[in-house]
Amino acid sequence: MNRSKLIRFQHGACIPLAELPRLDFATFRESLLEEVANHARVASFFGHPSDDGLELYAILAHDWQGDLALLHTRVADTYPSLTPDCAQLHLFERELAEQYGVRPEGHPWLKPVRFHNPWVDTDDIWGRNAKQHPIPGDMDFYRVEGEEVHEVAVGPIHAGVIEPGHFRFQCHGEQVMHLEISLGFQHRGIEQMLIGGPHPTSIYQLEAAAGDTTIGHTTAYSQVLESLAGHDTMPRAYAIRSIALELERLANHVGGIGGLTTDVGFLPTASFCGRLRGDYLNLSAELCGSRFGRGLIRPGGVQFDLDNALVDKVKQRLAVLEPETRGAIELCFDNPSVLARFEGIGVVSTDDAEELGLVGVAAKACGLVRDARLHHPFGSGETKFDTPVIEIDGDVCARGNVRRREIYASHELLRDTLTQLPAGGIYSPLESLAPDSLAVSLCEGWRGELIHTAITDSNGRISRYKIVDPSFHNWSALALSLRGEQISDFPVCNKSFDLSYCGFDL
Amino acid sequence: MLSIIRERLRQGHRTGKYPKVEPVLPERFRGLPTIDHQHCQPNCTQCIEGCPFGALQKVAGKLELDMGLCLFCPECSAICEHGALSFSRDYHLSSRTRAGLIVDETEFKMVEALDAKMKKLFGRSLKLRQVSAGGCNACEADLNVLGTLNFDLARFGIQFVASPRHADGIIVTGPVTENMKSALLDAYAAVPEPKLVIASGACAIGGGPFKDSPEASNGIGDILPVDLYIPGCPPHPYTALDAMLRLMGQL
């Protein structure tokens, strides 16, 4: 294949659309599959309607080389599906079909993803009435039939205080043969609302794209706009973003381990972690007034600075919290009755993880080193990160262990960043965005890699904004991990992935 | 076993003394907005233009802030050059009525208790079914946190239950997405009468950051009869707790 047709770039670059060669579909397909065979993974895959059809963009990540590759083609109403040759694309292709009515011929599992009307004036490929809003969950579920086979349907409203989603289990007795997950209940139309932006409302929508990942998503959004505007963000702003990102990771990981132990009925760790999680959230509130980091990050920098007194306060609190957190967590990883419920449960093999393109905690638990902090650091002032955590067993215990060890690594990272906080300003307003350009930004949120891509029109306004939350890749892994398990292990498997519903549904 | 006891001793007793002792919130916490009408300039509209959600407006020349639309972001207070708009650390923000969320010249009224008949039913025990209808998981997380040992929600007789059939009311988060509308109405219908409806967070009150989204409603106001509004994005756990306890007549 002609390698010169492939655009390779570092994250943070702003690429003029005119420099992007449009490949014919056959070359696009061949190049994409060849790249994936050469250890690239599909980070993002999306469409952008034009007068002549649907422009398709694939963003592939070469993690160890620290760069990204971009492929571009155009399709009409149908195209031969890539999913049979590249399973990572299965949801991306379904998403495109739902959004733009383009049919991937030969897709093995072509079902709606989020249950909304097409974004463009076209026929719905499932023949749903364009004048009515689709009914969520209205699709053909995979069914197993036979004597003593039964189906368990859960949701959209679940028993706890959590977001909605629908799960269908095909069971034989206690054993789950198949789990199908149907989401979309949380779909608020964020990507559509961002078109024509950046609007004054945009940053607030990004803050709530996945409310537990406010810092992650706002950082990724700010980086995209800063790339498009050619903005030099100040080192101190980077450092403060990095502090907030690690605090967010700590709060969620500590809460997550608490949740895992709740699901197996080990209450000491569950109750200690519940309290500790709140203490980490309170540290974010010390930084910016909001326990979830609302109002902190803006394109151009951050809105709140840390003075020496606050740095000391945060350091002192962390010094108290660290041993308490270790004590609470080690207790459960040292307890045979807990480990009996964690070990060997919900296994995802490394091969499956690679094939599905998993990211974040779920990938690291399968022995895959995928961490945007390591592979795709942004800017120059960012804290040096060189200790990605991996486990190899791919089970509930491995995912718990990744989170446990990431907690300890985050403490270390925070200590370093707080000690070596660069001096200088924290915010400068953005210039206008480059017209007819594309930029990509990656940020390692606590669940995994967040990828935001923006394309601007001739006026420098956003004409397509694509968000890929780690949950988008990883929900399939939860379904896979349940095969052959007991249905009573579903809560602990689900918690071990700890995925976002609204991050998937956006 | 011994290690569990040892760790238990080290972690100590953590349940807060609230409501006997007032909680200390972070210095940068943004609570009840305060408008200094003496410093607010009659012809200045900077803060009004600076709010993308229309939470601020001038009525008869006086500035008003609608906490139902406010996301409690730091922008408007920074825009005001006259120092007339600021956020205090007061976390008592909730109201029984939508109009009660408007901060103007009059003193802000805290949540009124239920009437005698309802208070007799729910004053000492309130079971709530939480429904997330497009909530981003921040509101949900900060309601969940009320169940942890610092807040220990159960000691006030409040509990989040699994089934609407066991509930005295629903507490809704999120702007109500198109895809969750019917499930929300089903859950509401399944709660036995008499029942309460609580809107928690900016989304459930007025659509929050997703106001006017084609895929979501602007909160539950047009869909269900609301008994209690808890503002914030997300509301601080103490804001929510204070609101529920006052509703029950416990404070």
Side-chain angles (χ1 to χ4, degrees):
Chain A
M1 137 196 165
N2 187 353
R3 286 244 163 219
S4 64
K5 284 182 180 163
L6 201 78
I7 295 280
R8 280 180 177 268
F9 63 109
Q10 296 265 321
H11 135 72
C14 169
I15 306 159
L17 290 178
E19 286 179 18
L20 273 180
R22 191 174 65 237
L23 311 178
D24 62 69
F25 188 79
T27 318
F28 173 84
R29 177 192 178 87
E30 193 190 324
S31 317
L32 189 142
L33 295 178
E34 192 180 322
E35 286 291 303
V36 170
N38 285 324
H39 308 291
R41 66 192 166 79
V42 182
S44 188
F45 186 83
F46 60 94
H48 182 225
S50 69
D51 295 338
D52 310 306
L54 186 69
E55 310 290 325
L56 274 191
Y57 297 90
I59 292 160
L60 310 170
H62 286 273
D63 290 325
W64 285 108
Q65 290 148 23
D67 64 12
L68 302 163
L70 199 110
L71 291 165
H72 172 208
T73 187
R74 181 187 288 164
V75 294
D77 299 348
T78 62
Y79 65 96
S81 170
L82 292 150
T83 300
D85 298 308
C86 178
Q88 297 177 50
L89 286 168
H90 76 114
L91 263 172
F92 287 113
E93 289 196 328
R94 284 167 61 184
E95 176 182 67
L96 280 174
E98 188 166 42
Q99 291 164 348
Y100 302 108
V102 291
R103 182 182 291 275
E105 292 290 353
H107 192 293
W109 199 258
L110 191 58
K111 303 180 184 192
V113 181
R114 301 191 178 95
F115 302 93
H116 57 73
N117 293 117
W119 288 354
V120 291
D121 188 17
T122 178
D123 291 335
D124 186 271
I125 71 159
W126 294 278
R128 298 177 295 187
N129 185 346
K131 294 198 179 83
Q132 283 169 1
H133 198 278
I135 300 163
D138 181 18
M139 64 179 201
D140 288 331
F141 285 87
Y142 182 83
R143 281 193 88 148
V144 180
E145 278 171 6
E147 218 174 315
E148 294 184 27
V149 172
H150 65 278
E151 185 179 72
V152 179
V154 181
I157 302 181
H158 301 161
V161 184
I162 58 167
E163 298 173 71
H166 183 72
F167 301 87
R168 288 250 182 131
F169 300 87
Q170 309 295 321
C171 298
H172 185 252
E174 277 286 288
Q175 199 186 40
V176 178
M177 290 183 283
H178 181 78
L179 161 63
E180 187 159 0
I181 303 171
S182 174
L183 301 176
F185 296 92
Q186 298 281 75
H187 181 60
R188 297 151 297 175
I190 295 185
E191 285 180 4
Q192 286 293 80
M193 291 171 88
L194 293 172
I195 291 175
H199 303 293
T201 51
S202 299
I203 183 75
Y204 302 96
Q205 287 155 3
L206 265 304
E207 283 184 335
D212 48 27
T213 317
T214 298
I215 299 294
H217 275 294
T218 49
T219 300
Y221 173 72
S222 301
Q223 287 175 174
V224 162
L225 296 197
E226 285 157 13
S227 304
L228 284 168
H231 184 84
D232 276 330
T233 305
M234 294 149 170
R236 191 173 176 88
Y238 279 129
I240 292 175
R241 282 179 188 174
S242 150
I243 290 168
L245 191 66
E246 295 311 314
L247 284 174
E248 187 169 85
R249 193 180 320 278
L250 280 170
N252 283 296
H253 279 355
V254 169
I257 290 178
L260 278 177
T261 49
T262 306
D263 286 342
V264 299
F266 186 70
L267 297 184
T269 302
S271 50
F272 301 153
C273 284
R275 188 272 296 184
L276 289 161
R277 175 175 182 279
D279 284 357
Y280 288 112
L281 292 176
N282 286 339
L283 279 178
S284 294
E286 291 291 345
L287 211 62
C288 66
S290 159
R291 285 157 57 89
F292 294 85
R294 304 285 160 96
L296 177 62
I297 292 168
R298 293 289 180 266
V302 293
Q303 295 213 95
F304 291 92
D305 203 355
L306 282 96
D307 57 15
N308 287 338
L310 188 54
V311 168
D312 287 342
K313 190 174 181 180
V314 174
K315 273 193 197 163
Q316 280 163 13
R317 288 240 214 132
L318 285 173
V320 176
L321 284 173
E322 188 177 0
E324 287 179 350
T325 307
R326 276 181 188 262
I329 293 176
E330 297 297 332
L331 211 52
C332 83
F333 283 97
D334 201 25
N335 187 300
S337 64
V338 171
L339 292 177
R341 291 290 310 278
F342 285 1
E343 283 173 346
I345 303 296
V347 178
V348 177
S349 71
T350 306
D351 287 348
D352 286 343
E354 251 187 321
E355 210 176 327
L356 283 173
L358 301 193
V359 294
V361 172
K364 291 172 204 169
C366 297
L368 301 178
V369 186
R370 291 182 176 174
D371 195 315
R373 290 174 293 177
L374 177 73
H375 300 303
H376 306 279
F378 193 90
S380 51
E382 205 168 47
T383 320
K384 297 282 172 287
F385 176 83
D386 55 5
T387 47
V389 168
I390 57 162
E391 293 279 330
I392 52 170
D393 293 336
D395 56 2
V396 168
C397 193
R399 288 183 284 274
N401 255 321
V402 167
R403 301 183 82 174
R404 173 175 73 104
R405 291 169 54 204
E406 284 202 336
I407 289 169
Y408 304 156
S410 284
H411 269 286
E412 219 163 288
L413 201 59
L414 272 172
R415 251 197 314 274
D416 290 352
T417 320
L418 284 163
T419 311
Q420 300 161 3
L421 206 55
I426 56 165
Y427 178 81
S428 58
L430 283 193
E431 300 289 319
S432 54
L433 307 186
D436 291 320
S437 300
L438 178 149
V440 183
S441 135
L442 288 88
C443 173
E444 187 75 10
W446 64 274
R447 279 193 189 91
E449 155 192 291
L450 310 156
I451 305 155
H452 290 210
T453 311
I455 297 179
T456 52
D457 63 14
S458 54
N459 300 317
R461 309 300 294 182
I462 289 169
S463 60
R464 177 76 172 103
Y465 197 92
K466 172 69 186 159
I467 304 169
V468 184
D469 188 271
S471 310
F472 190 76
H473 299 284
N474 289 0
W475 273 111
S476 310
L478 170 62
L480 197 64
S481 76
L482 249 284
R483 289 205 182 154
E485 296 294 351
Q486 301 225 323
I487 193 167
S488 48
D489 278 328
F490 174 69
V492 73
C493 282
N494 187 18
K495 192 69 204 177
S496 73
F497 285 94
D498 213 349
L499 300 175
S500 173
Y501 297 78
C502 58
F504 179 96
D505 295 341
L506 294 173
Chain B
M1 188 66 205
L2 282 175
S3 61
I4 295 175
I5 295 169
R6 194 168 59 232
E7 190 57 34
R8 169 72 187 80
L9 290 173
R10 193 163 71 117
Q11 297 274 344
H13 178 78
R14 296 288 182 164
T15 305
K17 297 236 183 327
Y18 179 85
K20 281 185 191 145
V21 179
E22 278 291 303
V24 182
L25 297 184
E27 270 176 50
R28 290 175 176 176
F29 174 72
R30 292 179 293 279
L32 189 71
T34 45
I35 302 170
D36 182 345
H37 290 279
Q38 290 187 330
H39 286 97
C40 182
Q41 303 298 310
N43 298 322
C44 170
T45 54
Q46 278 178 326
C47 63
I48 297 173
E49 285 151 20
C51 179
F53 299 101
L56 288 153
Q57 60 168 338
K58 278 198 174 167
V59 177
K62 295 284 184 190
L63 190 66
E64 290 184 359
L65 190 152
D66 182 353
M67 289 197 290
L69 298 177
C70 180
L71 304 185
F72 294 81
C73 74
E75 263 86 358
C76 63
S77 55
I79 289 174
C80 182
E81 294 166 354
H82 316 292
L85 187 57
S86 59
F87 289 91
S88 70
R89 283 162 75 192
D90 185 352
Y91 62 89
H92 306 89
L93 310 172
S94 311
S95 176
R96 294 288 307 277
T97 63
R98 184 66 185 78
L101 294 177
I102 292 170
V103 175
D104 53 17
E105 272 193 303
T106 55
E107 199 187 340
F108 177 71
K109 281 203 210 77
M110 289 197 229
V111 176
E112 287 168 29
L114 291 165
D115 63 39
K117 195 176 145 220
M118 292 286 268
K119 195 174 150 187
K120 190 156 179 282
L121 282 170
F122 302 137
R124 290 189 302 164
S125 161
L126 183 63
K127 310 285 172 192
L128 295 170
R129 170 64 251 195
Q130 202 276 329
V131 181
S132 168
C136 71
N137 206 23
C139 281
E140 290 78 0
D142 259 358
L143 286 176
N144 255 328
V145 88
L146 291 175
T148 63
L149 40 84
N150 341 19
F151 297 94
D152 192 13
L153 193 64
R155 71 193 157 116
F156 304 105
I158 309 172
Q159 196 190 346
F160 294 119
V161 293
S163 167
R165 300 260 187 232
H166 303 158
D168 302 317
I170 54 173
I171 180 162
V172 184
T173 54
V176 188
T177 50
E178 286 297 315
N179 284 343
M180 266 308 284
K181 203 182 235 171
S182 113
L184 170 67
L185 292 174
D186 287 350
Y188 174 73
V191 179
E193 296 274 359
K195 50 190 162 190
L196 297 171
V197 176
I198 303 175
S200 184
C203 284
I205 299 173
F210 306 105
K211 192 167 169 250
D212 301 329
S213 160
E215 289 287 342
S217 308
N218 285 342
I220 62 171
D222 305 329
I223 303 170
L224 296 172
V226 182
D227 297 282
L228 179 64
Y229 296 90
I230 308 176
C233 186
H236 193 277
Y238 278 117
T239 305
L241 187 55
D242 164 77
M244 290 192 273
L245 293 181
R246 284 182 196 279
L247 183 77
M248 295 163 79
Q250 291 195 15
L251 287 182

